[in-house]
Amino acid sequence: MNNVKVIRVKESFDWIEIIEDNDNGRYLERNTITETQLQHIKEKWIELGLDHKSILWGDKKFKFINYVGYVQVEDVAIEILPKVSPQNDYQQMRNALIEMINICYELDILVDYTSNELEQGDLKEILAKYFANTLLKELHRGISQEYRLIEENATSLKGQLQVAQHIRNNVLNNKPYQVAVSYEERVDNHILNQVLKRATSSLIKTVRSFETKKQLRQIDYLLDTVENRSFTKHQLNEIRLNRTNKRFEKPFKLAKQFLLNETNTMQYHDFTNTFVVMFKMNYLFEAYIAILLEEILDRPVYAQDQRHRLFKNEKTNRDIFQLKPDVVIGDENQIIIDTKWKRIFDKEEVTRSGVKREDMFQMYAYLTRYKYARRGVLLYPKTEQPKGEDLFLQSWKLEDQGSLLRVYSVSLVDRETTECELLQILSDISS
């Protein structure tokens, strides 16, 4: 593990340079990767089925677009962080990402940078530590068990006698000392524990923290009777917790996220030096803003609203072209917000501040179809050092209708700042 090179980059901003395998001098530089290491990363990216447009290629260099997280393959690991700190502070960016994960996944991860245990930590170490802490705490309260129906030929009567099976299997075959019975038995080897076991096995060989590794080994021991198996994405998404195992929800959410980035081919290979946990940043940004708005407003907030379609077929009267704005605020005097995880500019010489034409047409559809909407917001993340306190960037009117479309950027350095700026934006556009 000590020979793993860790590269830290800002999503969509930082390039990773590709060097020859034998270029030992340049390998010591911060953002360099060998051709062989790149091939391993590319193979893993393809196996996971991640969007091919999420890697932007240059001349002997590449960078990640829209994905954040941590990918480790063989002897190289890349931590991809969102560019939300104007000062390019990686610790601040990591904290912001953890805060967004906390809100969107209903977790309570705390990062203590006063401790040197994690060597200032990276995303994998922080998530692994939280997973191990929360899971071990619940396992000490008792392992999750489920009832399973057992049907067998036994030497004594327990549970219910299966009369038909007993006559067919024992009476007619002259087995007087056996009885066909059915009964329920509490077992540890069920799907929830199997997911937790698999995630533990994945982490145990890749984490650097001695304390986290120790906790993971304790978990592995407590789950000794549980099968270590792989899962498809469909199987993971089908798992539902109930009132008896709800206390495992937090470690399960992380375990699921870890395993969603595992391929079926990995079931035939050792876990050593392979770990991937990725988040699609546009989804994370969208969900984060919607949840914060729900908490700070006393008006109804509708996330991913699907009440309207754009057209009706003239003959069949069937609706077509589903409209799904990210956030609709209120039932009257509505404000429609569409989040855009893209780079935005505050320079006057940049046309429309970099707002894409298709995004403006999309907002036009929302403002014309939602009859109570007169205000639309295209909301972008603030990535540069602000020149002033104004969050407003651009504004347009819909001709002859009185509707406004405005562009704002919002800071994501911490939750309190984001909530404060969201309130400022809503006040500004409502005035």
Side-chain angles (χ1 to χ4, degrees):
M1 285 304 301
N2 293 330
N3 295 323
V4 175
K5 179 177 182 178
V6 180
I7 299 171
R8 292 184 175 89
V9 294
K10 301 183 291 292
E11 176 269 336
S12 82
F13 279 81
D14 290 342
W15 293 95
I16 300 175
E17 303 287 338
I18 305 166
I19 62 174
E20 295 181 1
D21 290 341
N22 57 1
D23 194 345
N24 296 326
R26 291 201 62 198
Y27 186 71
L28 297 177
E29 296 177 12
R30 187 171 64 90
N31 282 9
T32 59
I33 189 173
T34 68
E35 293 172 340
T36 298
Q37 290 172 333
L38 173 64
Q39 186 59 36
H40 292 153
I41 294 290
K42 287 172 66 176
E43 289 173 358
K44 182 56 58 182
W45 209 259
I46 293 171
E47 282 182 16
L48 294 173
L50 299 176
D51 188 351
H52 69 280
K53 295 180 180 179
S54 59
I55 298 182
L56 181 63
W57 298 97
D59 183 19
K60 290 287 184 179
K61 60 185 180 180
F62 68 98
K63 60 183 173 181
F64 293 93
I65 306 293
N66 197 29
Y67 281 95
V68 295
Y70 194 96
V71 53
Q72 177 180 326
V73 182
E74 300 297 338
D75 59 349
V76 65
I78 304 174
E79 183 183 26
I80 312 160
L81 298 172
K83 174 68 168 68
V84 297
S85 170
Q87 294 81 23
N88 288 329
D89 184 333
Y90 283 95
Q91 181 173 313
Q92 190 176 57
M93 288 185 275
R94 191 180 296 115
N95 281 350
L97 177 57
I98 292 294
E99 184 65 55
M100 296 175 79
I101 292 171
N102 276 343
I103 296 297
C104 296
Y105 287 81
E106 297 180 308
L107 304 177
D108 50 10
I109 303 171
L110 295 176
V111 182
D112 179 13
Y113 285 108
T114 61
S115 169
N116 292 322
E117 180 193 352
L118 297 180
E119 300 174 340
Q120 296 302 307
D122 57 37
L123 187 64
K124 179 192 69 178
E125 295 292 323
I126 293 168
L127 296 180
K129 179 181 168 109
Y130 179 81
F131 170 79
N133 281 341
T134 54
L135 178 53
L136 191 58
K137 177 182 176 182
E138 294 304 330
L139 289 177
H140 282 158
R141 292 177 55 195
I143 296 175
S144 171
Q145 294 184 318
E146 289 185 357
Y147 283 102
R148 183 170 296 172
L149 181 64
I150 306 294
E151 295 182 340
E152 64 176 3
N153 258 349
T155 56
S156 61
L157 181 63
K158 55 181 174 179
Q160 292 184 331
L161 172 66
Q162 302 296 301
V163 178
Q165 291 92 324
H166 178 67
I167 293 173
R168 181 170 60 252
N169 297 333
N170 301 319
V171 175
L172 297 180
N173 289 300
N174 194 27
K175 296 180 179 179
Y177 300 109
Q178 291 187 330
V179 58
V181 296
S182 66
Y183 56 93
E184 287 188 331
E185 183 177 77
R186 292 174 67 88
V187 296
D188 300 339
N189 190 28
H190 55 83
I191 193 165
L192 172 60
N193 284 343
Q194 290 166 358
V195 168
L196 299 173
K197 172 89 168 189
R198 185 70 172 183
T200 300
S201 300
S202 174
L203 289 167
I204 211 168
K205 295 180 180 179
T206 61
V207 297
R208 299 191 304 276
S209 166
F210 173 80
E211 184 60 33
T212 302
K213 194 182 292 285
K214 179 181 175 182
Q215 289 180 314
L216 289 168
R217 284 178 175 150
Q218 287 180 288
I219 293 168
D220 192 56
Y221 175 78
L222 292 171
L223 297 178
D224 181 59
T225 60
V226 178
E227 179 186 0
N228 186 1
R229 50 166 287 207
S230 62
F231 296 88
T232 66
K233 291 183 179 181
H234 176 73
Q235 288 171 329
L236 289 170
N237 289 326
E238 286 294 303
I239 299 174
R240 298 289 182 270
L241 302 187
N242 54 44
R243 62 177 181 82
T244 64
N245 56 26
K246 187 76 172 175
R247 60 192 176 93
F248 289 93
E249 183 174 24
K250 290 179 180 179
F252 168 70
K253 284 180 177 179
L254 274 183
K256 178 180 174 181
Q257 190 64 37
F258 297 153
L259 300 185
L260 282 173
N261 293 289
E262 177 185 300
T263 60
N264 289 334
T265 58
M266 286 175 63
Q267 63 183 304
Y268 305 110
H269 297 83
D270 195 352
F271 278 120
T272 304
N273 290 348
T274 299
F275 179 84
V276 183
V277 56
M278 303 297 288
F279 301 89
K280 217 166 184 179
M281 197 60 213
N282 60 331
Y283 294 156
L284 204 57
F285 179 46
E286 171 191 313
Y288 182 64
I289 295 299
I291 293 170
L292 292 190
L293 287 170
E294 287 177 354
E295 293 185 359
I296 63 177
L297 297 180
D298 56 5
R299 300 177 64 190
V301 174
Y302 304 98
Q304 290 288 297
D305 187 65
Q306 300 183 45
R307 288 175 290 179
H308 296 291
R309 292 179 181 265
L310 188 56
F311 291 109
K312 282 184 179 290
N313 186 292
E314 188 176 8
K315 292 184 179 180
T316 65
N317 206 37
R318 292 182 60 183
D319 296 326
I320 59 173
F321 298 132
Q322 176 76 63
L323 297 180
K324 193 163 62 174
D326 294 338
V327 178
V328 177
I329 299 174
D331 294 314
E332 297 180 356
N333 297 317
Q334 293 174 323
I335 300 174
I336 297 179
I337 299 177
D338 230 32
T339 59
K340 300 296 178 185
W341 184 256
K342 300 174 184 177
R343 190 175 182 181
I344 197 68
F345 304 89
D346 59 1
K347 300 176 182 178
E348 293 181 1
E349 62 268 22
V350 179
T351 304
R352 299 188 303 274
S353 295
V355 176
K356 292 188 177 298
R357 184 186 299 269
E358 55 266 31
D359 293 335
M360 296 187 71
F361 277 116
Q362 185 180 52
M363 287 301 298
Y364 173 79
Y366 296 154
L367 290 173
T368 52
R369 185 65 184 88
Y370 282 74
K371 64 180 181 179
Y372 297 113
R374 290 295 179 266
R375 298 290 184 266
V377 173
L378 286 171
L379 189 63
Y380 292 78
K382 187 182 295 181
T383 59
E384 305 293 344
Q385 183 70 42
K387 294 180 179 178
E389 297 300 322
D390 197 357
L391 306 171
F392 163 74
L393 295 175
Q394 291 272 12
S395 180
W396 300 277
K397 288 184 178 180
L398 261 66
E399 193 173 9
D400 301 328
Q401 188 172 324
S403 297
L404 282 179
L405 170 59
R406 287 185 177 175
V407 181
Y408 294 89
S409 64
V410 64
S411 173
L412 299 171
V413 291
D414 59 66
R415 177 176 179 171
E416 183 179 356
T417 301
T418 305
E419 290 179 340
C420 180
E421 292 190 356
L422 285 174
L423 290 173
Q424 290 180 44
I425 288 169
L426 295 178
S427 175
D428 180 68
I429 198 169
S430 300
S431 59

